Amino acid sequence: MIDITEIVSVLCVFIGLPGVICFFSYKSKKLKQEKKALELKLEREKIRLELLEEENRKYDRIIDRHRR
C-alpha cells in the first residue's frame, strides 16, 4: 500500500522542484530586463545632461559677448 509521504515526495520532486526552479529562473530573467531598462534610462539621462551642459555653455558665451 502506498503511504501518503511517498505520494507527497513524488509530487514534490516532479511538480514542486521544477516549479521552484522555473520561478527563480523567471525572476532572474525579469530582474535582468529591469536592470537593462534602468541602465538605458540612466544612459539617456546622461546624454540629456550633456546636451543641457552644452546648451548652458552656449548661452554663457552669448552672455559674455554682450557684457563686453
Side-chain angles (χ1 to χ4, degrees), residues 19-68:
V20 169
I21 291 171
C22 289
F23 172 75
F24 282 110
S25 175
Y26 169 76
K27 282 301 231 182
S28 173
K29 188 181 214 181
K30 189 172 181 177
L31 286 174
K32 285 179 185 176
Q33 290 174 346
E34 288 176 4
K35 180 182 175 186
K36 183 68 173 173
L38 288 173
E39 287 173 348
L40 290 173
K41 187 175 181 179
L42 180 63
E43 187 66 29
R44 184 178 67 211
E45 290 300 319
K46 284 181 182 178
I47 292 170
R48 185 174 172 197
L49 179 63
E50 289 173 3
L51 290 173
L52 287 172
E53 287 173 345
E54 180 62 33
E55 187 176 1
N56 188 26
R57 285 191 291 271
K58 181 179 90 173
Y59 288 128
D60 284 345
R61 285 191 298 265
I62 292 171
I63 290 171
D64 286 344
R65 284 184 208 152
H66 287 285
R67 284 186 181 170
R68 292 181 183 176

Side-chain angles (χ1 to χ4, degrees), residues 4-15:
I4 190 78
T5 57
E6 293 173 357
I7 294 172
V8 170
S9 65
V10 169
L11 288 175
C12 285
V13 168
F14 290 110
I15 296 174

